[in-house]
Amino acid sequence: MARFNKIYAGPFTEATPQVQERVCTAAILPGTALIESGANFAQAGANALTKVYVAQDNYLALKGVDDAWPANDRIIGMELIDDQFFNVRIATGTNVVRGVTQLTTAASGKFAVATTGQRVIAIAEETYSNSSGSDQLVRVRVARNQLAAA
């Protein structure tokens, strides 16, 4: 069961993020990273260096954050905007510290701790030790494109 019930986390006083709707050939879990692939979306790979979107929950079909978008469906990808919060998916065993942990993308489209020289896409906005045994959503804020510190 997810810790959060929405991917876009606010603040509610800001304009909601811009979204793109595109077909994706893979089944996608909300909170995972997407990249553009021609006219479609694809699941982001490890250390994605292109523009990254976050898959939104499928509220149009009344689905939750743990319900995957079906393969070959039109999905919603949210553009990451400064000063706004998103809940992104991390793998079990991943530990994050608020304001310290820098995240990039893993091969599975989930977010992972960035290592030296990797592109930093987001910074953790909560401290959480994912020992739950399943992937979880964690609150993040978009990083200004930078490389992970040594």
Side-chain angles (χ1 to χ4, degrees):
M1 174 144 208
R3 299 173 52 242
F4 296 108
N5 63 358
K6 288 287 180 197
I7 300 302
Y8 176 67
F12 73 93
T13 57
E14 297 286 331
T16 54
Q18 294 295 312
V19 298
Q20 300 282 332
E21 292 184 25
R22 298 183 184 183
V23 172
C24 187
T25 58
I28 298 292
L29 277 169
T32 57
L34 302 168
I35 58 170
E36 295 174 347
S37 177
N40 298 326
F41 276 135
Q43 184 172 288
N47 193 33
L49 298 177
T50 61
K51 184 174 185 175
V52 173
Y53 299 83
V54 173
Q56 188 170 1
D57 44 298
N58 189 356
Y59 66 91
L60 299 170
L62 302 176
K63 301 290 184 179
V65 294
D66 287 331
D67 298 317
W69 290 84
N72 300 309
D73 200 0
R74 181 170 296 276
I75 68 173
I76 300 172
M78 294 183 290
E79 294 190 30
L80 299 171
I81 300 174
D82 286 342
D83 300 325
Q84 294 190 356
F85 299 108
F86 296 86
N87 296 320
V88 300
R89 200 163 294 275
I90 61 170
T92 189
T94 303
N95 301 320
V96 297
V97 176
R98 184 179 191 273
V100 175
T101 305
Q102 301 174 333
L103 299 170
T104 190
T105 52
S108 61
K110 296 177 192 118
F111 286 78
V113 176
T115 58
T116 303
Q118 289 185 317
R119 176 181 177 211
V120 177
I121 298 169
I123 306 290
E125 277 295 319
E126 69 172 312
T127 298
Y128 181 69
S129 177
N130 187 8
S131 57
S132 67
S134 64
D135 299 343
Q136 292 295 326
L137 296 171
V138 296
R139 179 84 28 101
V140 301
R141 183 180 295 245
V142 178
R144 292 184 174 82
N145 293 335
Q146 57 188 349
L147 296 180

